[in-house]
Amino acid sequence: MQPKKPRVLVIRGGAIGDFILTLPAIRLIRESIPGCHLEVLGYPGIVDLAVSAGLAEAVRSLEHRTMAPLFAKGAVIDEALVDYLCSFSLVVSYLYDPDGHLRASLERVGVKTLVECPHRVEPNKGHAAEQLAKPLEALAMYLDPEDWKRPMMAGSGMRTPGTSVRVGIHPGSGSEKKNWPLANWLLLGREILAEIPSARLVLITGEAEAERGVTEQLRLAWDGLPYDHWEGLPLTDLAARFSTCDVFVGHDSGISHLAATCGVPCVLLFGPTDPVLWAPPQPGVKVLRAPNGDLTHLMPDAVHAGLREALGR
């Protein structure tokens, strides 16, 4: 009779970029426990990336109604959830638990080994991905100094030989302060095509860009230009398509992290956030930092030069 596979559960909330920066830690766990069965508990649509990256066998929603009692002192916990949690030999949690209610609940239901990791990262303590993996050192798991910087995912889309240069553009982020002025994005598409007439643009937008009116303004400004519009795609579908792009331009955002971890050369515009802490670590990423952290002062010429360099022109 074959021994049971070790079962590991990683609990990770947070936004897209936060989750992607945790992928090196998840891969470290998987590689350090050969043959383990690994699952991720988190937000639907985001945690699916771990399965697409080949790092997890299954995912479960953190938003399920049975989860709430885990965060209430002494609350009755669903029996099926108890059985699920106790099936894991190791639980690694990145959830905010200031009062210790989650820890107490996991201990009460019988979870034997729990490793608590920071849900946030701090300045001047290394890159975010390094900080998120640091607590695993208690289990003798250490990030390779360079290996953690390589792409985590590979898209399934295929570039057709001889086709035009494809430039992915995502003009949004989770904060207006992290966004380059819209007027610059409106002009960027036309200026790229003026310099590379055979290029094809790929506009990537979601709910946030639609709500702010960014999507509509870009569509009007780019009317008649050769471009594709990837709107509101599931993250796993977007990851699969990224391999058809020659370069990506964006801000400090989750979509930029996704492009970088799919191996797409990136030109990323950073304003108030620190790229030493937050920029994707992949080698194909070029960061353009705005003077004084103010993206209104980042000149279009600098972005064009960054694009030319990324495309080898």
Side-chain angles (χ1 to χ4, degrees):
M1 184 176 178
Q2 290 187 341
K4 281 187 176 181
K5 285 185 175 182
R7 287 174 57 85
V8 180
L9 178 65
V10 176
I11 308 175
R12 179 55 162 140
I16 300 168
D18 299 322
F19 185 77
I20 291 173
L21 286 169
T22 313
L23 289 179
I26 296 174
R27 185 173 66 185
L28 177 62
I29 294 169
R30 189 170 191 90
E31 292 177 348
S32 300
I33 309 177
C36 73
H37 174 96
L38 192 148
E39 298 192 17
V40 182
L41 179 60
Y43 294 126
I46 297 178
V47 291
D48 294 322
L49 292 171
V51 176
S52 295
L55 301 179
E57 278 72 35
V59 297
R60 188 181 177 110
S61 175
L62 192 55
E63 297 176 329
H64 193 274
R65 58 178 179 76
T66 60
M67 296 299 300
L70 289 174
F71 302 91
K73 187 176 181 179
V76 176
I77 300 169
D78 180 79
E79 288 186 14
L81 180 58
V82 171
D83 291 341
Y84 174 74
L85 293 171
C86 289
S87 73
F88 296 97
S89 50
L90 169 64
V91 175
V92 178
S93 175
Y94 286 91
L95 295 187
Y96 183 52
D97 186 29
D99 300 316
H101 293 330
L102 176 62
R103 167 179 273 278
S105 294
L106 294 176
E107 291 176 348
R108 181 158 52 93
V109 303
V111 169
K112 294 181 176 59
T113 305
L114 170 65
V115 175
E116 293 178 293
C117 302
H119 75 291
R120 299 182 65 179
V121 299
E122 299 179 25
N124 304 315
K125 291 190 176 181
H127 191 274
E130 293 179 291
Q131 292 190 45
L132 292 167
K134 187 73 175 174
L136 298 176
E137 293 181 3
L139 301 175
M141 299 180 186
Y142 298 88
L143 280 181
D144 182 278
E146 294 300 325
D147 186 61
W148 65 274
K149 299 178 183 180
R150 64 183 170 90
M152 296 282 162
M153 305 180 67
S156 60
M158 297 295 292
R159 291 285 285 119
T160 304
T163 55
S164 58
V165 172
R166 289 169 65 85
V167 182
I169 293 175
H170 178 235
S173 74
S175 168
E176 290 281 10
K177 291 181 180 179
K178 296 195 292 183
N179 293 345
W180 204 33
L182 179 57
N184 293 335
W185 291 108
L186 296 176
L187 293 172
L188 183 64
R190 293 189 176 277
E191 292 173 344
I192 290 172
L193 292 168
E195 186 167 331
I196 313 172
S198 63
R200 188 169 186 86
L201 309 175
V202 179
L203 174 61
I204 302 164
T205 61
E207 186 177 339
E209 289 74 49
E211 289 178 351
R212 294 170 181 165
V214 171
T215 303
E216 183 61 25
Q217 291 187 63
L218 275 164
R219 290 182 63 125
L220 289 171
W222 290 3
D223 185 42
L225 301 184
Y227 79 94
D228 299 317
H229 188 189
W230 298 348
E231 184 173 21
L233 291 179
L235 294 175
T236 51
D237 290 354
L238 184 55
R241 294 191 188 191
F242 262 136
S243 60
T244 68
C245 292
D246 295 278
V247 68
F248 170 89
V249 192
H251 301 120
D252 174 17
S253 73
I255 301 303
S256 295
H257 277 281
L258 184 59
T261 204
C262 287
V264 183
C266 294
V267 178
L268 303 183
L269 321 183
F270 269 67
T273 50
D274 182 5
V276 173
L277 180 63
W278 291 112
Q282 286 74 27
V285 173
K286 180 177 180 60
V287 172
L288 301 178
R289 186 78 188 272
N292 301 316
D294 185 347
L295 278 163
T296 62
H297 296 155
L298 182 60
M299 296 295 101
D301 285 350
V303 178
H304 301 158
L307 265 172
R308 284 193 294 271
E309 182 180 335
L311 289 168
R313 292 174 176 265

